[in-house]
Amino acid sequence: MKQMHLAAHFPGVNSTTVWADPRSRSQIEFASFEHLARTAERGKFDFFFLAEGLRLREHNGRIHDLDVVGRPESLTVLNALAAVTERLGLAATVNATFNEPYELARRLATLDHLSAGRAAWNVVTSSDAFTGENFRRGGYLDRADRYTRAAEFVATARELWDTWTPDGTSRPFAHSGPHFDISGEFTVPRSPQGHPVVIQAGDSDEGREFAASTADVIFTRHGTLEAGRVFYADVKSRLEKYGRGRDDLKIMPGVTVVLGDTDAEAHRNAAEIRRKQVSPQNAILALEQVWGRDLSSYDPDGPLPDIDPDPGSNMVQGRARVADPQAVAARWRALSEAKGLSIRQTVIETTARQSFIGSPKTVAGELAMFVAGDAADGFILVPHLTPGGLDDFVDRVVPLLQERGVFRSEYTGSTLRSHLGLAEPVWKG
């Protein structure tokens, strides 16, 4: 029976987080990271996943509300978590556009040693000049260039990890390419799992190709079983030309889960959570991200604006731009008019993440169906509460998955590669 992989995403400053809930705690204090990581390990999850923010996002010239408490550096947090966990994988998001291979390869290899082979790197890129202002090189890379840099970055890091032989002998390195020209000696011996696991996040064609050629795990999202199957088949079909098998890349969409004692109660809970996630203020902020205009005078409980978006707006900085604001606005207006929705109701309906909603039995069955139906190899859970949002899932859903025989009852290995069923990389010295 096909086995499911599970990971936990620390919610932090994501838009899914409900800060108004009295159970919500700090996204900076170590106790929050420790609670969620220990819960994930208690549930026998594959890994714990941290996002990254290289600049505080801005909205209309002000720090975005989600960033006002700051954004800690992920590898530092994970090094600390290595001391309070034993088997859980530790995945850091680190940008390949604004870092250098030698320095990052060294930090990741160090985490892999401190954790006895549990490190992972989620490779992301950036075309954002706003973020680039925080770095000496400044500016940004065009979309095509940032993927070629990322591919060379990962290849260079792997060359560095391979400069130490499996028996502990160090050899000098030399790499010369379009983006990096470096030589010397790497300071960290080969780690317990050979190389840290490489994760890639992205749904674009370039992202899919990059994942197929380079990654061990792809972090994605898709809203339905059929959409998941289409994505799964497309990405898996790209592996053969890189000499890779179907099991060499795990596809793990990010999802939310809302539970209740019954399906009806769970759907009521989900509706209440969405109302909390999209407060009146957040509804206007979401609208402004599409329209690119100051809409603070509009009533969140009133109709959508009758003015068109400003396609050249720089109102939102440090967040992904809406690709076609005119088309998005047209879809939102059509939905609003057809269903008689206010601004807030429209945002709630159009910005919800894919979720599994229902009783523990219902959710366990749907998760298993996605995996058995080749719509995913597993899931990265994004709770709506920091740090206790994973507790109910581990207590009520994981045992049902274990009873079905689709998820482990105990860890059978000690490294992240063993959890994911990935072979240790062949040494290419």
Side-chain angles (χ1 to χ4, degrees):
M1 188 175 294
K2 186 177 178 182
Q3 293 296 292
M4 182 184 302
H5 297 283
L6 292 175
H9 188 291
F10 184 80
V13 294
N14 289 286
S15 58
T16 54
T17 307
V18 177
W19 295 110
D21 192 297
R23 296 169 293 175
S24 179
R25 296 291 182 266
S26 171
Q27 65 98 21
I28 290 287
E29 293 176 2
F30 182 68
S32 291
F33 297 104
E34 183 179 14
H35 180 105
L36 194 72
R38 285 185 182 274
T39 304
E41 187 164 69
R42 178 165 58 84
K44 314 304 178 188
F45 278 38
D46 293 59
F47 61 89
F48 175 87
F49 183 74
L50 283 179
E52 178 184 66
L54 295 180
R55 180 164 180 173
L56 297 181
R57 297 166 291 187
E58 294 184 8
H59 190 105
N60 203 17
R62 297 174 57 248
I63 300 300
H64 193 280
D65 285 358
L66 293 175
D67 278 2
V68 295
V69 292
R71 305 194 67 157
E73 195 275 321
S74 57
L75 274 168
T76 303
V77 175
L78 295 180
N79 277 305
L81 288 176
V84 297
T85 55
E86 295 181 357
R87 299 291 186 90
L88 184 70
L90 303 168
T93 302
V94 187
N95 197 298
T97 304
F98 300 116
N99 284 283
E100 298 297 325
Y102 180 86
E103 189 264 347
L104 180 55
R106 189 166 177 257
R107 291 164 63 202
L108 286 164
T110 299
L111 173 61
D112 216 24
H113 275 282
L114 291 177
S115 65
R118 296 185 282 134
W121 170 26
N122 178 40
V123 184
V124 294
T125 64
S126 176
S127 61
D128 183 8
F130 175 76
T131 299
E133 292 174 357
N134 272 358
F135 295 85
R136 182 180 66 181
R137 187 173 66 251
Y140 64 98
L141 294 174
D142 289 333
R143 186 179 187 87
D145 289 339
R146 63 191 175 109
Y147 274 110
T148 59
R149 176 184 167 91
E152 187 180 343
F153 196 123
V154 175
T156 306
R158 285 173 168 158
E159 290 174 24
L160 294 169
W161 293 327
D162 275 342
T163 58
W164 283 72
T165 67
D167 63 5
T169 302
S170 172
R171 295 156 44 131
F173 68 84
H175 174 94
S176 182
H179 293 276
F180 309 109
D181 189 357
I182 59 176
S183 62
E185 293 188 359
F186 194 58
T187 61
V188 185
R190 191 172 179 85
S191 69
Q193 61 175 349
H195 298 168
V197 169
V198 171
I199 304 170
Q200 192 269 337
D203 285 350
S204 68
D205 188 70
E206 298 99 322
R208 297 181 191 201
E209 201 67 23
F210 179 60
S213 66
T214 303
D216 301 304
V217 177
I218 182 167
F219 175 34
T220 182
R221 66 176 66 185
H222 40 68
T224 64
L225 180 65
E226 185 54 38
R229 284 173 172 159
V230 170
F231 179 87
Y232 190 98
D234 176 63
V235 173
K236 296 282 186 173
S237 71
R238 300 175 188 236
L239 293 167
E240 185 177 3
K241 64 183 172 185
Y242 297 106
R244 307 182 69 194
R246 286 174 61 85
D247 292 334
D248 292 338
L249 175 65
K250 308 300 181 184
I251 297 176
M252 298 180 67
V255 299
T256 60
V257 172
V258 180
L259 298 175
D261 290 337
T262 64
D263 290 352
E265 181 184 55
H267 281 278
R268 290 194 296 271
N269 291 342
E272 180 60 24
I273 289 168
R274 285 302 294 152
R275 284 192 291 271
K276 290 179 179 178
Q277 288 170 331
V278 184
S279 66
Q281 180 186 15
N282 286 343
I284 295 299
L285 292 177
L287 201 69
E288 290 178 340
Q289 189 174 1
V290 176
W291 261 257
R293 300 177 183 276
D294 184 347
L295 303 175
S296 57
S297 62
Y298 282 77
D299 180 1
D301 294 320
L304 269 64
D306 56 4
I307 55 175
D308 290 329
D310 177 3
S313 172
N314 289 318
M315 183 179 195
V316 177
Q317 297 276 20
R319 304 187 75 187
R321 292 181 178 273
V322 176
D324 188 345
Q326 300 281 359
V328 173
R331 288 198 301 271
W332 284 21
R333 284 197 184 106
L335 177 67
S336 175
E337 292 171 3
K339 294 189 174 183
L341 302 179
S342 67
I343 289 173
R344 187 182 181 193
Q345 290 168 332
T346 302
V347 172
I348 287 173
E349 185 148 339
T350 55
T351 62
R353 292 177 65 93
Q354 181 219 347
S355 295
F356 291 92
I357 303 170
S359 68
K361 181 179 179 180
T362 296
V363 168
E366 290 181 351
L367 292 171
M369 180 176 62
F370 265 66
V371 173
D374 285 343
D377 292 311
F379 307 93
I380 298 177
L381 273 67
V382 186
H384 66 275
L385 281 179
T386 304
L390 199 63
D391 295 7
D392 278 354
F393 183 88
V394 167
D395 293 336
R396 305 179 69 189
V397 178
V398 167
L400 299 180
L401 296 173
Q402 293 167 336
E403 287 176 11
R404 286 173 171 264
V406 298
F407 188 66
R408 68 174 68 89
S409 296
E410 294 293 341
Y411 290 111
T412 56
S414 59
T415 69
L416 178 54
R417 286 187 178 277
S418 68
H419 302 341
L420 290 166
L422 299 171
E424 182 176 321
V426 176
W427 179 64
K428 297 180 180 180

